[in-house]
Amino acid sequence: MTTIDPEGETPLYRQVAEILRRRIASGELLPGRPLPSEQALRQEFGISRGTARHAAALLVEAGWARTSPGRGHFVIRPDER
């Protein structure tokens, strides 16, 4: 389990997004599969729902994930980036 630094300079949503990005890059989170749910992120990192949403949105914005309305966020295949 990777931890975040709640008192660090980097915003929590950016820390969580970076952890998820590294998991995608390492193959721990596979293309076409969902990102961890907001609830799972809240439990793992002790963050708010808004922080979890912001982290997922940052991954979408950066091209690491896509949003499927009503279904959640999914890891993008490398050829889709």
Side-chain angles (χ1 to χ4, degrees):
M1 178 170 121
T2 307
T3 60
I4 57 174
D5 181 3
E7 296 179 15
E9 184 177 310
T10 304
L12 293 178
Y13 74 92
R14 288 192 177 276
Q15 292 181 53
V16 172
E18 177 59 20
I19 291 166
L20 294 175
R21 187 203 61 78
R22 286 194 308 255
R23 289 178 184 176
I24 293 168
S26 74
E28 183 179 341
L29 293 174
L30 298 172
R33 303 298 300 165
L35 289 177
S37 67
E38 289 175 6
Q39 183 62 32
L41 294 174
R42 291 176 67 195
Q43 289 177 345
E44 180 177 354
F45 298 110
I47 57 175
S48 71
R49 181 177 179 196
T51 300
R53 280 189 172 185
H54 204 159
L58 192 60
L59 288 172
V60 170
E61 183 180 306
W64 289 92
R66 65 176 170 77
T67 302
S68 180
R71 295 190 62 218
H73 303 287
F74 291 81
V75 177
I76 289 179
R77 291 175 176 82
D79 61 337
E80 293 179 302
R81 289 190 197 130

